[in-house]
Amino acid sequence: MGKRVLLVEDELGLRTTLGDRLKREGYHVEAACDGTIGFTRASAGGYDVIILDLTLPDQDGLEVCRGLRQRGVQTPVLMLTARGRTSDKVEGLRMGADDYLAKPFEMAELLARLEALLRRAAQPAHTGDSVFRFGSLRVDFPKTEVTRDGAPVLLSAKEFQLLRYFVEHRGETLSRERLLSEVWGYSTMPSTRTVDVHVAWLRRKLERNPRQPELIITVHGLGYKFTPPLT
């Protein structure tokens, strides 16, 4: 059975073209023309992946994505943006998007990114029903919750996935290429600071002193290592 895609795009031409191509690729596509409709349908669930335009009428893609994550909707989100600024892409990831693609784009790249998101979402979690504690932090994987001294620490979906991978592979030196492959699902990827940006965000939220990290250690020239005192 084909995967269900929610396409939230206000530009009729692109919505039609993209929807038709996805259907030919075997996806079941449902489209929404603005943020309000997209948010309502995405909140109802049942989709395998969401393609979300950044610039939408009434509420933009950032608002939609943030609202979905606050509701606990963890469906992978691929955000489309006509803006080329790094700050816009970073903000999209911060709001909970799993990936982004700048317009204009090649259809082959969009399809590859969709496949990567779906492949990652289908991978079983190895942490099972485990709850981990290190220092004042507590990570509850079944509930996708992180707390510090009982107070919630808000992570985006991708930040939580990255933390999960670090916990599963604690003590190992993990290269950026491995993290891009295992957490983001990329089989090939040009030079990118995606991993570094997300690690920096995690450090700001988890470390007592992000400038002198104790949990996520940089192994110069190799990558990162997660070495918490688990209790």
Side-chain angles (χ1 to χ4, degrees), residues 131-187:
V131 175
F132 291 85
R133 295 177 178 84
F134 33 94
S136 60
L137 293 167
R138 180 178 185 273
V139 184
D140 187 324
F141 284 106
K143 296 181 179 180
T144 64
E145 291 179 350
V146 180
T147 57
R148 183 193 300 278
D149 295 324
V153 177
L154 300 180
L155 301 183
S156 71
K158 189 56 66 180
E159 288 168 353
F160 191 84
Q161 290 169 10
L162 180 58
L163 176 60
R164 179 195 295 274
Y165 196 80
F166 274 133
V167 171
E168 290 173 349
H169 300 275
R170 54 194 177 275
E172 298 181 39
T173 298
L174 305 173
S175 69
R176 292 170 177 82
E177 292 75 17
R178 179 175 171 184
L179 291 169
L180 282 170
S181 173
E182 297 297 323
V183 179
W184 278 263
Y186 296 139
S187 56

Side-chain angles (χ1 to χ4, degrees), residues 13-25:
L14 179 58
R15 190 169 68 245
T16 301
T17 300
L18 187 53
D20 289 345
R21 177 59 186 275
L22 289 171
K23 290 175 183 176
R24 290 199 300 271
E25 295 292 330

Side-chain angles (χ1 to χ4, degrees), residues 1-98:
M1 182 177 179
K3 298 294 185 179
R4 293 194 64 201
V5 177
L6 176 61
L7 172 60
V8 188
E9 169 62 60
D10 65 314
E11 185 182 336
L12 176 59
L14 179 58
R15 190 169 68 245
T16 301
T17 300
L18 187 53
D20 289 345
R21 177 59 186 275
L22 289 171
K23 290 175 183 176
R24 290 199 300 271
E25 295 292 330
Y27 291 98
H28 294 283
V29 181
E30 184 172 340
C33 61
D34 63 42
T36 299
I37 297 174
F39 179 78
T40 300
R41 292 180 179 173
S43 297
Y47 299 100
D48 296 291
V49 67
I50 299 168
I51 301 175
L52 179 62
D53 189 27
L54 176 63
T55 307
L56 294 167
D58 58 37
Q59 56 177 318
D60 64 21
L62 294 177
E63 294 178 273
V64 173
C65 191
R66 179 174 57 239
L68 291 174
R69 296 316 189 211
Q70 289 175 343
R71 284 198 172 194
V73 177
Q74 297 300 314
T75 307
V77 171
L78 173 61
M79 187 166 284
L80 305 181
T81 172
R83 307 172 187 173
R85 296 180 305 188
T86 300
S87 59
D88 293 313
K89 298 172 183 177
V90 168
E91 188 64 18
L93 294 171
R94 188 183 295 277
M95 291 300 103
D98 297 274

